[in-house]
Amino acid sequence: MSFPHHRPRRLRTTPAMRRLTAEHRLAPADLILPAFIREGLSEPNPIASMPGVVQHTTDTLKRAAAEAVELGVGGIMLFGIPETRDAEGTASLDPDGVLNKAIRDVRSEVGDSLVVMSDVCLDEFTDHGHCGVLDSDGYVDNDATLDIYAKMAVAQADAGAHALGPSGMMDGQIGVIRQALEDAGHVNTAVVAYAAKYASAFYGPFREAVDSQLKGDRRTYQMDAANRREAIQEVELDLAEGADMVMVKPAMSYLDILADVAEMSPVPVAAYQISGEYAMIEAAAANGWIDRRAAITESVLGIRRAGANIVLTYWASEIAGWLKES
Ligand code: PBG
């Protein structure tokens, strides 16, 4: 038997037909804008490897958050760059430290109209740039780091974060943070687990963005790019420890992981389109090698299609603006 009348092209004939039959579409509410604030700045500071992204002052951060609300963006993820660093990252616990203050400032600007999230990790605060504290051999000490994450989480929840993003890949971090939040009465503060976070060369521009002091790499705690099955174990552990959402990171080189996680996760799945993914597209577009807007849209749509409910992307507000226009 043959079916000579099957023509998949029928559903591609007009823009209206394609719109009607699209399986996925982008919406501002599914996007999260990652944003950087640097202590002591009087003017926003451009990040050379991330054209269009800046280290914010308090004022420009508040404006970016207000703009995100205006555009219907779903959330903002805050990263802080402190003026002083030490081996334990103690500035992360100061209620008036750069990140905790930024959470308060952004909350006072946007209230509940944007999900305000913050990075629970020590790498921006340590003078060695690792995501945790070091033992006498220079190895990142998992359990000593957990004690600090617990305090950091409570400080960020006290400052008003709706959701926390522990990104350090310490074993047990979700459970310890959840327990600390419960003990402090922050029962409604959500935890977005960076569950499957890989050691990636594509974090390069972010390290400029946060003025990272890291020498070496994070391969003793972040996942190995060779591994797929292991991502499921990481997600299952984080779910058992109480994660409210799980994340895959990076996004574009890890779409198989995203599809696996989307298949099994009972909670919303986020993907982080990271700094190097942003930089690649910006650089190619700046050279006139690709159509910038089309490439950005396609890249984020691909991440949604692979299974992400939520995408963290430095283009969140810009994409939301395009969606508003059309
Ligand atoms: C760690 C952290 C990193 C990113 C987000 N959180 C860097 C790292 O793990 O080295 C990278 C995000 C990006 O590259 O856009 N706090």
Side-chain angles (χ1 to χ4, degrees):
M1 227 184 352
S2 70
F3 302 97
H5 307 302
H6 281 268
R7 292 180 185 272
R9 290 183 57 192
R10 282 186 201 114
L11 300 189
R12 302 175 197 146
T13 46
T14 67
M17 186 66 90
R18 293 194 291 276
R19 184 180 59 196
L20 180 70
T21 59
E23 294 177 40
H24 297 89
R25 55 187 105 242
L26 300 181
D30 300 327
L31 305 177
I32 295 175
L33 177 70
F36 304 102
I37 175 151
R38 180 167 190 159
E39 195 168 26
L41 276 188
S42 50
E43 290 295 319
N45 189 28
I47 300 161
S49 54
M50 300 178 73
V53 180
V54 300
Q55 295 174 332
H56 282 292
T57 65
T58 299
D59 279 354
T60 65
L61 178 65
K62 286 168 91 169
R63 240 177 286 146
E67 183 199 37
V69 170
E70 196 57 39
L71 291 164
V73 167
I76 191 165
M77 175 67 84
L78 302 174
F79 296 92
I81 304 128
E83 246 165 2
T84 54
R85 295 173 152 126
D86 61 24
E88 266 84 46
T90 42
S92 65
L93 303 181
D94 179 354
D96 296 316
V98 60
L99 182 52
N100 295 326
K101 180 176 174 300
I103 295 166
R104 245 181 282 119
D105 290 338
V106 170
R107 275 304 305 281
S108 76
E109 180 72 26
V110 305
D112 289 330
S113 53
L114 188 65
V115 179
V116 177
M117 310 181 169
S118 48
D119 188 49
V120 182
C121 193
L122 284 176
D123 65 315
E124 291 94 354
F125 295 95
T126 51
D127 55 12
H128 45 74
H130 275 294
C131 295
V133 292
L134 307 180
D135 69 13
S136 51
D137 296 326
Y139 182 75
V140 175
D141 185 333
N142 195 88
D143 297 9
T145 301
L146 293 183
D147 293 339
I148 305 176
Y149 284 179
K151 295 192 186 106
M152 226 182 142
V154 171
Q156 294 183 3
D158 286 345
H162 293 107
L164 307 182
S167 65
M169 287 300 281
M170 294 303 120
D171 293 334
Q173 61 184 10
I174 303 303
V176 162
I177 286 170
R178 184 73 264 156
Q179 189 61 52
L181 291 172
E182 297 294 315
D183 292 346
H186 291 298
V187 296
N188 287 325
T189 307
V191 177
V192 183
Y194 284 64
K197 178 174 178 182
Y198 286 83
S200 174
F202 296 102
Y203 299 142
F206 177 93
R207 304 226 173 125
E208 183 199 341
V210 300
D211 186 25
S212 174
Q213 305 299 302
L214 183 70
K215 292 177 193 70
D217 59 51
R218 307 197 194 287
R219 291 180 184 281
T220 70
Y221 43 106
Q222 296 179 345
M223 288 178 64
D224 191 316
N227 294 353
R228 181 168 181 174
R229 199 196 316 278
E230 189 186 353
I232 300 298
Q233 186 197 22
E234 285 283 5
V235 170
E236 281 173 348
L237 288 169
D238 286 357
L239 289 170
E241 291 173 32
D244 298 288
M245 301 181 224
V246 292
M247 192 197 295
V248 172
K249 177 184 177 186
M252 292 162 69
S253 298
Y254 297 85
L255 295 177
D256 56 333
I257 309 301
L258 193 47
D260 288 352
V261 172
E263 181 72 23
M264 56 70 79
S265 174
V267 302
V269 176
Y272 196 143
Q273 184 179 45
I274 60 161
S275 59
E277 305 179 76
Y278 176 92
M280 283 194 292
I281 291 177
E282 288 290 349
N287 277 291
W289 296 338
I290 55 175
D291 176 337
R292 180 175 178 276
R293 179 164 165 172
I296 291 170
T297 304
E298 183 179 329
S299 68
V300 178
L301 192 56
I303 294 165
R304 291 270 294 114
R305 189 192 62 239
N309 304 107
I310 297 165
V311 183
L312 291 90
T313 173
Y314 298 97
W315 292 300
S317 292
E318 189 171 7
I319 294 170
W322 296 340
L323 293 168
K324 205 170 183 178
E325 274 166 25
S326 57

